[in-house]
Amino acid sequence: MSESRNAILGKLRAGRDAHPLTPPESDFAVLRNKRWDGAERLERIKRMMEAVHTEFLETTEADWPADVQAFLKAQGTRNLLFGPATEAGARLSTEWAASGMAGGPELIPYADRVETFKERLFDGIDAGITTTLGAIADTGSLIVWPTPEEPRLMSLVPHMHLALLRADALYDTFWQAMTENRWADGMPTNALLISGPSKTADIEQTLAYGVHGPKRLVVVIVR
Amino acid sequence: MGETSINFAKASSAALQDQQLRGNFRRAMDGLMSKRAVQFADTAEWNGVRTLGASVRLRALSKLPELLEKLEANCTKNGIQVHWASTTDEANAIVLSIMQRVNAKLVVKGKSMVSEEMHLNAFLEKHGIESLESDLGEYIVQLDEAMPSHIIMPAIHMNTKQIAHLFKQKIKEAEYTEDVAQLTDLARRVLRKKFATADVGISGVNMAVAETGTLCLVENEGNGRMSTTVPPVHIAVMGLEKVVEKLEDVPPVISLLTRSATAQPITTYVNMISSPRKEGEKDGPNEIHLVILDNGRSGIYADEELRNTLRCIRCGACMNHCPVYTKVGGHAYQAPYPGPIGSILMPQVEGLEKRGELPHACTMCNACVEICPVKIPIVEIMGRLRSEAVHPGDAVRGAGSHASKAEAMVWKGWSMTYASPLAYQFATALLAKLGNAAPASLPLLKEWTNVRAKPRFANRTLHALAREKGIPDV
């Protein structure tokens, strides 16, 4: 195997050295110059994401756990997968317990390795809630970095994904978000951009939502 | 042409008779072209991002060996195991050995063109491993036991009715329906069970970042995320040209890719994977393997002009805009990569003996070059390969394999006639007098006339007409 490695690299090196290539400068101005004003950013994010069937729930720092509970109750959602060790998760469990869970969705913690509850995850969970690192105006995308407290499958397997978005954590472009926050210094196991519910147009270019991932994406805007 | 030659002419003339197929393609390509144009309506922005994207790809190619080493080092540091394969056989063997070590019986696959190049499904089936495509289009094509007809939309050659019949026939619990939402939901139910139980997930790679050891995948369905997150082992296969230098090179390329491919400002998911499951993490594969495939690419890279083929980001826009592809569809090419990019890539990967016909599947209209998001000079390369096919040389495998004495003589005669005013005058005068008398069934001429009217020669030459107007011969 390392034989192939050396053969491939040797051949590439010989090919390149025989005909070196001088690439043009990479001018990122076209990305750097994409700017929107504060209010415009959120409007654009909503417009772009709604165009691909994302739903929005507007709420405040004080009220979001109760608003999420009321929303899910109205949808008839049976349960919600959450990360109990996050700050948002702690608020959900204390505030929902305090307000009484009667008739509302049951909270299910993602507290153990997936192997211990894979079947239930795929078969018995209606919704999952995660935090986000912000959103991108250019493309209408949420930035999600899963963590041990908020594992990768929370935003993928449940039929509905709720994503908490702080209204002040907005970027102009994907490029801006990654350069300003110096992502290149240390990438997480998995970094995601999520721009809507799962979709496909593979059958005669007819758009259908909810093919493998969530059928619904609900962005909870927290002001 | 050698025995192993693939007969594009025959396959395309069969495709041209198929009105259903032509309708399916025409409708789809027209839609894709107009939607893409909307995405790039701002010409200044298009020029800026396109120039940037091309520079990212060229910079990556200028340091290709170093970047691959850096990618290997950073992936290894992150816990991703890197494998190198010179040939598709070797790549298949690597994949199989990983499978056998973990005793895998079921594999779920995200969409990967390199795995098509490897004929990986057939190879795994032969070794008793069920390999299931999970991208809806690929799933449809696999159920139909066919090949993808487009690199982005594999089942674009079929309409809803055809897919409805296929599902009814091949999926046990299927009820006949032409409702796309219901068909999609059926596939969701079937495949969810498979994601949950698969032993291994296989994916391609849209871009690999040398700087951070990150594999980037774009998709809309979530099957790519499923395949790379749920099974305990993830194997990613990539062509060696897919590396980029820096993380910040990713946004412009993704922007060009998704807008060019399906006219979306971005896909539903951009999935960036930098490591297997770490201590304390609750999901994700325990092992990630990256298989870097050469399969002729290092040979392409050695030639200064042909090297540009490796800029490709596999958006498929060249297909959507190609007058030939749109008429004959993807299957006529009998190749994993059809359309303009396939017509220049396949002959270089598989040799001109087998694929020498493909560079002729082109009208040289330049539509693909104008929309290529990374400015690949496709038509120039097409011309170069036509020439390579008839001139023995060592730049491309099978160079000279399509040389014919008759063709060489025709060109020689043509150049002699055009080099001598006397010969030229004689020849044109002769054609003006006798050209119309030549039967349409003459060999060579027949190739043109069997589907077209024979052109009529004017009975006086342009020179004669010009002299009459008082314009002197030079």
Side-chain angles (χ1 to χ4, degrees), chain A residues 4-5 13 16 19 26 110 114-115 148 155 157 159 175 189-190 195 198-200 202 204 212-213, chain B residues 55 66 69 72 90 134 137 160 188 192 220-221 225 248 264 268 271-272 277 281-283 307:
Chain A
S4 291
R5 175 189 186 275
R13 207 161 263 130
R16 197 266 320 276
H19 302 283
S26 290
Y110 198 145
V114 66
E115 286 75 13
S155 61
V157 181
H159 299 295
W175 180 79
T189 300
N190 185 215
S195 304
S198 149
K199 67 178 186 293
T200 184
D202 274 348
E204 214 182 326
H212 298 300
Chain B
S55 80
E66 291 78 19
E69 281 175 319
E72 179 189 40
E90 202 180 328
S134 63
T160 309
R188 176 186 179 92
R192 279 208 149 212
N220 286 310
E221 296 185 2
R225 287 181 65 198
E248 73 165 343
Q264 298 180 91
T268 301
N271 182 10
M272 308 177 88
R277 188 189 305 199
E281 290 177 344
K282 298 184 182 72
D283 56 22
R307 179 185 287 168

Side-chain angles (χ1 to χ4, degrees), chain B residues 276-303:
Chain B
R277 188 189 305 199
K278 292 187 191 117
E279 185 73 34
E281 290 177 344
K282 298 184 182 72
D283 56 22
N286 297 312
E287 287 177 30
I288 303 181
H289 299 265
L290 174 65
V291 181
I292 301 174
L293 175 67
D294 181 344
N295 194 28
R297 288 165 172 83
S298 56
I300 298 174
Y301 184 71
D303 185 281

Side-chain angles (χ1 to χ4, degrees), chain B residues 198-265:
Chain B
D199 304 300
V200 172
I202 292 181
S203 77
V205 175
N206 290 104
M207 246 177 296
V209 184
E211 180 182 28
T212 55
T214 300
L215 312 178
C216 303
L217 287 109
V218 299
E219 55 146 347
N220 286 310
E221 296 185 2
N223 68 304
R225 287 181 65 198
M226 288 279 189
S227 304
T228 57
T229 315
V230 185
V233 177
H234 167 207
I235 303 172
V237 291
M238 69 174 247
L240 58 74
E241 78 281 19
K242 283 295 173 76
V243 69
V244 295
E245 183 179 17
K246 296 181 180 161
L247 192 66
E248 73 165 343
D249 292 335
V250 171
V253 176
I254 285 189
S255 176
L256 286 165
L257 173 60
T258 63
R259 288 193 282 172
S260 299
T262 50
Q264 298 180 91

